[in-house]
Amino acid sequence: MSILIDSNTKVVCQGITGHAATFHMARAIAYGTNLVGGVRPGKGGMVHLDVPVFDTVQTAKDETGANASIVFVPAAQAAGAMIEAIEAEIPLVVCVTERMPVLDMVRVRHALKGSKTRLVGPNSQGILTPGQCKLGVMATVNERPGHIGIVSRSASLTSEIVSLTSAAGFGQSTTVGIGGDPVHGMGYVDCLELFFADPDTNAVVLVGEIGGVEEEQAAEYLKTAANTKPVFAMVVGRHAPETRRMGHAGTLRALGGGSAASKLEALRGAGVHIIDNPALVGPSLKSVL
Amino acid sequence: MNLHEYQAKEILSHYAIAIPKGRMASTADEAGAVAREIASKKFAVKAQVHTGGRGKAGGVRIVATSESARDAARAMLGSVLVTDQSGPKGSQVSQVYVEAGEDVAQSLYVALLIDQKAGQMALVASREGGEDFEELAARNPEMMVILPLDAAAPPARKALKGFAGKLGLSGALADSAADLFRALAKAFVDLDASLIEINPLAVTEDGRLVALDVKMVLDDNALARHPELAVLRDQDDLDPVELEAQRHEVNFVRMDGDIGVAVNGAGLALATNDMLVEAGGRPANFMDIRTTATSLQISRGFDLVLKTPGLKVLLVNIHGGGMTPCDTVAEGLGISIRRTGAKLPIVLRLAGNNADFARRFLKNCGVVFHDAQDMNEAVATAVALARGTKKGAAK
């Protein structure tokens, strides 16, 4: 099994006719992803990548029975695309778009409240269930089916962790890139819950970074969660170069969290196995599992 | 994008938020003239630099006469202001803002920001603002009051008046505070701001609310829809090398070590930096190649790294993903090595998409490098080469 996606997932691609979407969706199809249609306003009726293109997400869903969407839409229009998918009640939406305005994401988060949609991203490399479905832009050279769940804010570091868990003989159940933007869809806690409920996931690697408070939130959740599995975590940026800041640092500190030290302390306190650097992923997993 | 105090104040004044009368000056005589023109019984002379903590570092002086305003400006202009937030290099003062001083009865703190935890806008305030606010708030987070706001609709007046009440304001002052909060929320949404901070927000002795200092940060990702704000960017404030890197889709921060570092992706770059420092290495820079960078842009990024004075080693750590395959980076490196004629030892760690092809490509270009199998080996080799405990251009 896996979380969020598997070989039965029926995918539509929003912005399918674009250059990046065409490039990456062709690879996803070659990987085995079941792409059933595309959306591009004004281009309804055409065929692209051998699937029908529709004017709206709702028609695409009605005509194809799609249960997931991947958004390849430029930053200025991406919020609208996500909200359209949420209104069409697509159960899973993945957005790979980078550099989205934060207030646009605040509006998307508002639309998500009480909806039937789970959003991953924006600025996400996507979700991968090895051997079954690739809903994103990640490399697929070192992945292999297995039982480690991976959830990460960083695409490049996920590639590294995937490759190291494979080399250590484990493989992955599913990898989820939640994206590094300040306001985004699913977070660590949502993914941990799903991984804990998935019979095919034996342990989770959480890849964290400095900034924000999500690692601390994950630690809070893990302290009280009833049904957990071994969780391993890495937090990078312990020696990050200090960039100049303006007056809000104190405010953000007062609102909680942010530094590598505070994240590591919180995670350690929640019983998480801390991995000091990527080179130690294999040995750490082997020593516990 | 950070705005200067004077820019932020001018913008807020268009939203009917009261600010002291003031003007910019770039010479001491001009500062004196501005003070005479404002005709107040006291003046504030303030260095316009993009850093917090100015007050305590001597970047804000309160003076009584136009002559002393001129003298204060003379002392500040051309000096380098080092504050506890500016970093050791500090910021050069090329302009000062001269404004009327106010008789302050109480200093409040008010900010609008994005509460990441909740994924929404929030109004954050404290009844004790002023110079020491940051330390105070870090020690006593309970002194902050927070009101979540909806970005799609103007906040309800009742909630805002209630919020003013929590700051100890009542009567007419609570009404003006509610107006001010509402105006701030509108400005925040209109401008695509990431932060608007008024500290202090003065309650004057004659019962007005006046924004004495304003910090405003705009969302870089939204600047495309605000051309009138984009032109306010202060080019002088950015390190020219970092600015050049940004133009080429490369994130770059200068550091003071001797190992040049190039990595694809911020997360992997942070991890590489951690490992280098913990192995006793001294990174010369922090560089991450954005997924949108082309090989030509990447080559410009490498040029910047290779130009670093005193550079001993170049460490390249690429895990080729779907967006940045290894060969794109190898092409960039090949172009840059040819263009700069750099002869220093190169440690290369390539994994993921097109890694083997990239290695062959570089060898065919005649680029000599240490071929590291993993990050551990790459970091250890780079540190040994930088310390001179390992010699030779390649193994």
Side-chain angles (χ1 to χ4, degrees):
Chain A
M1 254 178 77
S2 56
I3 67 165
L4 297 166
I5 57 171
D6 57 27
S7 51
N8 298 317
T9 305
K10 291 169 134 186
V11 178
V12 290
C13 174
Q14 292 176 253
I16 190 168
T17 53
H19 178 72
T22 305
F23 179 87
H24 288 289
M25 290 319 292
R27 271 149 193 78
I29 294 166
Y31 191 76
T33 303
N34 184 16
L35 182 74
V36 297
V39 178
R40 174 66 216 269
K43 297 213 172 157
M46 76 179 273
V47 171
H48 188 69
L49 294 172
D50 292 332
V51 296
V53 177
F54 303 93
D55 284 323
T56 67
V57 177
Q58 188 66 57
T59 347
K61 186 189 169 204
D62 294 345
E63 297 290 321
T64 66
N67 56 10
S69 161
I70 181 161
V71 177
F72 270 100
V73 172
Q77 291 93 38
M82 282 182 258
I83 291 170
E84 188 189 341
I86 293 165
E87 285 172 352
E89 300 189 348
I90 299 276
L92 175 68
V93 177
V94 172
C95 180
V96 300
T97 306
E98 295 180 296
R99 294 190 238 176
M100 284 216 36
V102 179
L103 274 174
D104 285 8
M105 276 316 298
V106 168
R107 292 179 191 106
V108 173
R109 275 279 288 256
H110 188 74
L112 272 175
K113 263 180 217 156
S115 77
K116 296 190 169 139
T117 298
R118 282 195 168 112
L119 172 71
V120 171
N123 192 13
S124 159
Q125 81 270 26
I127 312 172
L128 177 70
T129 292
Q132 297 191 47
C133 183
K134 164 178 162 161
L135 198 55
V137 300
M138 66 288 285
T140 50
V141 282
N142 294 310
E143 100 299 4
R144 53 180 267 189
H147 306 286
I148 306 293
I150 297 176
V151 54
S152 167
R153 284 161 71 183
S154 152
S156 55
L157 205 47
T158 309
S159 303
E160 186 72 25
I161 305 306
V162 164
S163 142
L164 291 167
T165 48
S166 292
F170 290 98
Q172 308 81 36
S173 54
T174 301
T175 73
V176 187
I178 59 173
D181 280 18
V183 179
H184 58 91
M186 287 180 72
Y188 291 125
V189 173
D190 308 292
C191 293
L192 285 169
E193 282 174 348
L194 292 175
F195 278 129
F196 291 159
D198 171 31
D200 219 26
T201 297
N202 297 342
V204 183
V205 178
L206 184 157
V207 186
E209 285 178 13
I210 43 168
V213 292
E214 271 200 73
E215 290 80 359
E216 287 90 340
Q217 285 176 293
E220 278 305 307
Y221 162 72
L222 288 170
K223 270 190 207 161
T224 53
N227 175 29
T228 67
K229 295 174 182 178
V231 178
F232 297 79
M234 193 176 344
V235 176
V236 298
R238 294 188 296 277
H239 303 284
E242 276 222 22
T243 46
R244 282 183 296 168
R245 57 194 172 90
M246 286 183 60
H248 62 305
T251 316
L252 296 181
R253 212 181 313 134
L255 292 173
S259 74
S262 72
K263 289 171 191 296
L264 286 167
E265 189 189 313
L267 288 164
R268 202 175 274 122
V272 170
H273 305 279
I274 303 298
I275 305 174
D276 286 331
N277 68 56
L280 299 172
V281 167
S284 297
L285 289 173
K286 281 181 185 163
S287 72
V288 176
L289 299 178
Chain B
M1 177 175 96
N2 296 334
L3 292 183
H4 279 298
E5 176 192 5
Y6 75 92
Q7 295 167 328
K9 277 184 169 166
E10 188 189 328
I11 290 173
L12 286 193
S13 72
H14 295 311
Y15 287 87
I17 290 173
I19 56 167
K21 209 165 159 191
R23 209 150 59 73
M24 292 296 290
S26 45
T27 67
D29 288 339
E30 204 184 330
V34 173
R36 276 194 301 280
E37 182 187 307
I38 297 170
S40 173
K41 56 185 179 167
K42 59 181 170 183
F43 308 95
V45 181
K46 303 160 113 181
Q48 296 299 292
V49 287
H50 286 305
T51 180
R54 276 182 322 178
K56 278 186 274 181
V60 177
R61 305 253 182 104
I62 307 297
V63 296
T65 64
S66 60
E67 289 75 31
S68 33
R70 183 193 61 205
D71 296 344
R74 181 169 292 136
M76 268 182 220
L77 285 164
S79 73
V80 173
L81 198 64
V82 180
T83 79
D84 58 1
Q85 295 177 27
S86 67
K89 275 192 299 183
S91 296
Q92 172 115 28
V93 182
S94 55
Q95 286 184 301
V96 293
Y97 190 60
V98 183
E99 67 181 8
E102 297 281 346
D103 292 322
V104 179
Q106 192 190 351
S107 289
L108 309 171
Y109 173 94
V110 176
L112 260 168
L113 45 77
I114 301 284
D115 178 355
Q116 298 191 15
K117 240 187 256 186
Q120 60 192 2
M121 236 164 85
L123 181 61
V124 178
S126 164
R127 59 172 83 195
E128 287 175 80
E131 219 170 59
D132 294 318
F133 173 75
E134 286 209 12
E135 290 76 41
L136 221 65
R139 274 200 309 275
N140 316 299
E142 71 286 349
M143 68 187 260
M144 320 270 290
V145 279
I146 301 174
L147 178 70
L149 297 181
D150 183 354
R157 201 168 167 84
K158 201 178 154 196
L160 296 180
K161 270 194 82 170
F163 190 76
K166 287 188 188 164
L167 296 174
L169 305 175
S170 58
L173 262 177
D175 279 320
S176 12
D179 289 342
L180 180 136
F181 299 149
R182 189 166 220 177
L184 272 180
K186 178 162 169 35
F188 194 91
V189 174
D190 284 357
L191 306 167
D192 269 302
S194 339
L195 171 79
I196 302 178
E197 182 186 73
I198 306 181
N199 183 33
L201 172 65
V203 180
T204 60
E205 280 172 1
D206 55 357
R208 293 169 299 129
L209 287 173
V210 182
L212 291 194
D213 191 8
V214 182
K215 291 192 176 74
M216 198 182 281
V217 184
L218 305 180
D219 182 353
D220 284 314
N221 289 345
L223 276 184
R225 55 192 179 208
H226 301 287
E228 77 291 357
L229 298 172
V231 299
L232 297 177
R233 187 187 286 283
D234 181 355
Q235 301 292 358
D236 296 344
D237 187 59
L238 286 170
D239 181 309
V241 174
E242 292 170 14
L243 190 67
E244 169 80 3
Q246 277 186 19
R247 264 200 288 276
H248 297 293
E249 298 292 293
V250 167
N251 297 321
F252 190 98
V253 178
R254 280 213 266 197
M255 294 161 75
D256 55 6
D258 52 16
I259 303 176
V261 185
V263 185
N264 66 313
L268 194 59
L270 288 172
T272 309
N273 188 67
D274 285 347
M275 286 176 75
L276 263 179
V277 172
E278 280 162 18
R282 294 169 49 237
N285 68 287
F286 178 90
M287 166 169 159
D288 99 75
I289 299 163
R290 291 181 188 158
T291 53
T292 37
T294 64
S295 54
L296 271 176
Q297 290 175 315
I298 293 169
S299 77
R300 292 295 177 192
F302 277 116
D303 290 357
L304 295 174
V305 181
L306 292 170
K307 268 195 266 178
T308 310
L311 195 72
K312 290 187 182 154
V313 185
L314 174 65
L315 167 63
V316 182
N317 180 23
I318 304 299
H319 201 125
M323 309 281 270
T324 313
C326 289
D327 54 320
T328 307
V329 180
E331 262 177 46
L333 178 61
I335 296 167
S336 178
I337 294 289
R338 204 173 324 143
R339 185 160 53 207
T340 58
K343 293 277 188 285
L344 82 177
I346 299 170
V347 181
L348 206 55
R349 186 287 176 125
L350 298 170
N353 271 2
N354 304 355
D356 289 334
F357 175 70
R359 266 188 215 100
R360 280 203 305 278
F361 170 86
L362 282 170
K363 281 179 185 155
N364 291 343
C365 290
V367 175
V368 180
F369 56 89
H370 293 265
D371 194 356
Q373 296 308 301
D374 54 35
M375 281 175 71
N376 244 351
E377 187 188 331
V379 165
T381 309
V383 172
L385 285 163
R387 283 186 180 162
T389 54
K390 185 183 174 89
K391 297 273 178 205
K395 65 175 182 185

